[in-house]
Amino acid sequence: MDRNISDLVSSAKAGDKQAFGELYREYFAPIYRFVLFKTKHKETAEDITQTAFARALGAMSNYRDKGVPFLSWLYTIARNLCLDHFKKKSDVVPADPDIWWAEVEGNLPADKFSQAKETSEALWRAMEALSDEQREVVVLRFIEEKSYAEIAQILKKNEEALRALNYRAMKVLKDELGIMNYEL
Amino acid sequence: MIKDRGMDEEKFTQLFAPFRAITPSQETLGRVLETVTISRVRRFSIWTFAGIMVPVAVFVLLVWQGNRPLNPTREILAMEEESSQIEQELILLDSNLDNIDI
């Protein structure tokens, strides 16, 4: 898969729109999820993800694979766009989780959906208690299943600092879930 | 257990699993891809348009100012014709002066 991605990146750099389309289909969802958990707003997340890919397309010729994977580069673009967004608009009303859960419904088996929804709503509420930095690490670590080395590249932090950040985040989540009488 | 993860991390990874099912709808995916492609096409069109129009505008401006660097021969011929007309007028004037009896 990595070989395929690196081929696609090379082709996209050379102006192959179809190759960029493939990269887009491969990476849209993780970038969208990352932005969604930062903005907590479905439409804003779609807009920012769309802009991130448009920026990436425009800057493809400048992308150099210097040990930073293409996906990490996309995360960095999306993260910077989120920061710009919050500088301009800090009063975005968080969307009702039910709106985007409707999209999840079709992606999970029916019998697992209601239990998953209950668990995830508890987690979503617990995540409100995390700082922005902690939420970024939690999303990349537990949802996107990235290694600390990969997270370090994306967030430009050292691995030890990330481990400490994640440890504190897990403690906050445990406490919050405990308050909600939710057992781990 | 996933490599590089302790017990707590493993539990949280499982707990967060339903969130991995969050994906934008196909409709959103298609619409966004279209927008990304169109913005690229638009940018290309603007630069193409500018690339064509700027040299055309410069050429029109030069022609309008009477500066025609592409056809200097025509300019020389026109000057020659004008000078021969002046020469003939001078000859005519000279012959007129000869006819005046002082």
Side-chain angles (χ1 to χ4, degrees):
Chain A
M1 191 63 190
D2 282 347
R3 176 64 194 151
N4 284 346
I5 292 296
S6 98
D7 286 348
L8 287 172
V9 170
S10 301
S11 302
K13 267 172 70 97
D16 183 343
K17 279 187 185 173
Q18 202 177 347
F20 189 82
E22 290 295 313
L23 290 169
Y24 171 88
R25 281 185 199 87
E26 184 72 26
Y27 291 142
F28 190 90
I31 297 294
Y32 171 73
R33 281 193 294 265
F34 178 72
V35 176
L36 180 67
F37 278 94
K38 280 186 81 66
T39 61
K40 300 175 213 160
H41 192 265
K42 186 173 172 279
E43 282 77 19
T44 307
E46 283 179 5
D47 284 348
I48 291 178
T49 310
Q50 171 183 322
T51 310
F53 276 90
R55 287 263 176 98
L57 182 62
M60 260 330 270
S61 55
N62 300 330
Y63 171 72
R64 301 277 180 274
D65 186 2
K66 289 178 181 169
V68 180
F70 182 69
L71 179 59
S72 300
W73 185 62
L74 286 176
Y75 273 120
T76 306
I77 295 173
R79 191 166 176 256
N80 289 339
L81 286 170
C82 287
L83 295 175
D84 290 347
H85 170 78
F86 289 126
K87 274 182 203 162
K88 289 178 200 157
K89 275 188 173 183
S90 55
D91 57 344
V92 173
V93 180
D96 180 354
D98 274 348
I99 295 171
W100 49 263
W101 268 107
E103 288 175 2
V104 176
E105 195 166 6
N107 297 338
L108 285 175
D111 56 322
K112 286 189 178 173
F113 178 72
S114 66
Q115 193 195 341
K117 191 179 178 202
E118 193 186 327
T119 310
S120 302
E121 279 179 358
L123 274 173
W124 177 270
R125 285 199 298 277
M127 282 175 79
E128 290 290 311
L130 299 176
S131 68
D132 285 345
E133 279 184 323
Q134 287 171 335
R135 199 178 302 114
E136 277 181 333
V137 176
V138 163
V139 169
L140 292 170
R141 184 70 178 155
F142 300 132
I143 300 177
E144 302 308 329
E145 299 182 280
K146 299 285 174 211
S147 68
Y148 281 112
E150 288 171 311
I151 301 171
Q153 282 180 330
I154 296 163
L155 302 182
K156 313 269 187 297
K157 284 187 165 70
N158 74 55
E159 290 185 39
E160 282 313 305
L162 289 171
R163 279 176 207 277
L165 205 58
N166 194 37
Y167 178 78
R168 285 195 296 273
M170 284 195 295
K171 192 172 181 316
V172 171
L173 287 176
K174 273 186 194 172
D175 291 347
E176 288 296 313
L177 291 170
I179 292 167
M180 289 184 248
N181 293 321
Y182 197 96
E183 272 189 43
L184 263 182
Chain B
M1 190 185 294
I2 299 168
K3 195 183 163 192
D4 187 28
R5 272 161 219 259
M7 281 297 286
D8 277 350
E9 286 201 300
E10 180 62 21
K11 278 183 191 167
F12 272 109
T13 305
Q14 284 170 11
L15 212 56
F16 274 99
F19 286 108
R20 285 192 280 281
I22 298 175
T23 51
S25 63
Q26 284 303 310
E27 187 193 344
T28 305
L29 206 65
R31 177 166 49 79
V32 175
L33 182 59
E34 193 181 336
T35 313
V36 169
T37 315
I38 286 170
S39 70
R40 172 80 169 199
V41 168
R42 274 190 194 142
R43 187 169 34 229
F44 175 75
S45 301
I46 288 165
W47 285 112
T48 309
F49 181 76
I52 295 167
M53 286 313 290
V54 168
V56 168
V58 169
F59 178 77
V60 168
L61 197 68
L62 288 173
V63 171
W64 180 64
Q65 286 182 336
N67 189 355
R68 284 165 285 182
L70 290 179
N71 198 351
T73 319
R74 194 191 294 173
E75 198 126 318
I76 292 163
L77 286 173
M79 284 170 69
E80 277 179 357
E81 192 180 339
E82 196 179 349
S83 67
S84 87
Q85 273 179 2
I86 292 169
E87 198 178 343
Q88 281 184 2
E89 280 174 19
L90 282 173
I91 292 166
L92 191 66
L93 189 66
D94 193 34
S95 66
N96 284 345
L97 282 173
D98 285 347
N99 291 336
I100 295 172
D101 194 13
I102 302 171

